[in-house]
């Protein structure tokens, strides 16, 4: 980001088109307050990350769901424990967390339900990418985030699940969550949303803010 200023509000959907060589991990880490930008300020719910204490940052991050472009898994844990890890870390009651994971597993797994149940018992290294990506989605939405950051979210996901994922995103928008998606332009056709989409464009190493499109 260079001289970039923008906001994303409840119910917004912002797409950032990527090229194949782009890796959004660093910019997303900055947006999550994991490291500060060289200049300027990044805020979440009106609160700057830089002036928030650890307790406040902890609470803020509990309200953000993320689908990673990379693996984003702890290799020594099962997928089930990985999916529950963030909610356990943020103090969500265990019974509620398990209920949410089971509920979202049933909805997002579709015809792969058996494979997802099997994957939950294994470590990530023994699970095929298309199933792991579904598990990423389950992890991202189970705690009802106010902001969903999605990095190449349909990568590896079988086409038969795309419609349900779009439906889930629309539901989160209607409930007031903001959606920020980083993906290649040829993947944008997979998102058939009924509401408006905003775009930020990457030119060279700079992000530009575009106009809203229908």
């Amino acid at each position: 980001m260079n001289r970039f200023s923008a906001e994303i509000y409840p119910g917004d959907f912002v797409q950032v088109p990527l090229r194949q060589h782009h890796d959004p991990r660093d910019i997303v880490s900055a947006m999550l307050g994991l490291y500060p930008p060289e200049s300027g300020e990044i805020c979440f719910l009106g609160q700057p990350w830089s002036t928030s204490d650890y307790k406040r940052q902890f609470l803020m991050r509990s309200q953000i769901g993320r689908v990673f472009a990379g693996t984003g898994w702890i290799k020594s844990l099962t997928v089930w424990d990985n999916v529950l890890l963030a909610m356990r870390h943020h103090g969500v009651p265990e019974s509620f967390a398990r209920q949410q994971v089971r509920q979202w597993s049933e909805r997002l797994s579709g015809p792969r339900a058996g494979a997802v149940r099997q994957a939950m018992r294994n470590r990530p290294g023994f699970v095929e990418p298309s199933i792991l990506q579904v598990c990423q989605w389950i992890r991202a939405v189970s705690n009802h985030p106010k902001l969903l950051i999605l990095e190449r979210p349909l990568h590896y996901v079988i086409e038969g699940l795309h419609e349900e994922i779009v439906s889930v995103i629309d539901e989160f928008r209607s409930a007031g969550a903001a959606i920020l998606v980083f993906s290649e332009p040829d993947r944008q056709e997979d998102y058939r949303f009924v509401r408006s989409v905003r775009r930020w464009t990457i030119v060279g190493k700079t992000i530009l803010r575009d106009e809203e499109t229908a």
Side-chain angles (χ1 to χ4, degrees):
M1 290 184 285
N2 183 20
R3 297 182 180 178
F4 177 76
S5 180
E7 305 82 27
I8 178 168
Y9 295 102
D12 274 356
F13 185 106
V14 174
Q15 284 186 329
V16 185
L18 298 178
R19 294 185 177 179
Q20 191 171 8
H21 65 278
H22 285 150
D23 184 348
R25 183 179 295 262
D26 286 347
I27 188 173
V28 173
S29 294
M31 289 176 174
L32 294 171
L34 297 176
Y35 61 76
E38 293 182 359
S39 62
E41 195 167 62
I42 297 176
C43 301
F44 178 65
L45 296 178
Q47 182 74 30
W49 289 107
S50 58
T51 58
S52 299
D53 58 23
Y54 177 80
K55 185 176 181 180
R56 176 66 179 169
Q57 290 186 353
F58 185 77
L59 179 62
M60 290 158 69
R61 290 196 186 99
S62 73
Q63 300 175 76
I64 301 174
R66 180 179 181 184
V67 171
F68 292 76
T71 59
W73 300 103
I74 296 176
K75 296 179 181 178
S76 59
L77 299 178
T78 64
V79 174
W80 172 262
D81 284 327
N82 266 284
V83 170
L84 283 171
L85 185 64
M87 285 192 284
R88 286 171 171 164
H89 184 61
H90 289 109
V92 176
E94 183 75 10
S95 59
F96 178 77
R98 287 172 175 267
Q99 178 194 52
Q100 290 302 304
V101 170
R102 291 194 181 98
Q103 175 183 315
W104 284 105
S105 295
E106 289 179 13
R107 178 167 179 186
L108 289 168
S109 298
R112 313 299 297 277
V116 169
R117 281 196 295 272
Q118 178 66 35
M120 289 286 189
R121 295 192 285 268
N122 290 329
R123 294 180 181 180
F126 297 95
V127 179
E128 67 167 287
S130 67
I131 300 300
L132 273 181
Q133 194 72 343
V134 173
C135 295
Q136 280 224 71
W137 269 98
I138 295 166
R139 177 175 59 183
V141 301
S142 287
N143 201 28
H144 303 276
K146 292 183 177 178
L147 170 64
L148 262 177
I149 299 178
L150 310 173
E151 304 163 52
R152 296 186 169 96
L154 294 181
H155 199 41
Y156 297 121
V157 175
I158 63 170
E159 189 172 346
L161 293 178
H162 290 190
E163 185 176 345
E164 186 60 29
I165 285 176
V166 169
S167 172
V168 168
I169 290 176
D170 273 334
E171 284 184 22
F172 270 81
R173 291 182 75 185
S174 297
I179 314 295
L180 178 59
V181 178
F182 295 85
S183 65
E184 280 81 0
D186 62 355
R187 286 279 177 182
Q188 292 175 14
E189 63 188 18
D190 293 320
Y191 305 108
R192 299 182 180 88
F193 299 103
V194 296
R195 296 168 59 188
S196 62
V197 171
R198 295 165 54 204
R199 289 188 175 86
W200 301 341
T201 302
I202 299 177
V203 178
K205 295 183 178 180
T206 302
I207 291 185
L208 303 176
R209 177 179 175 177
D210 289 0
E211 298 296 324
E212 182 171 298
T213 59

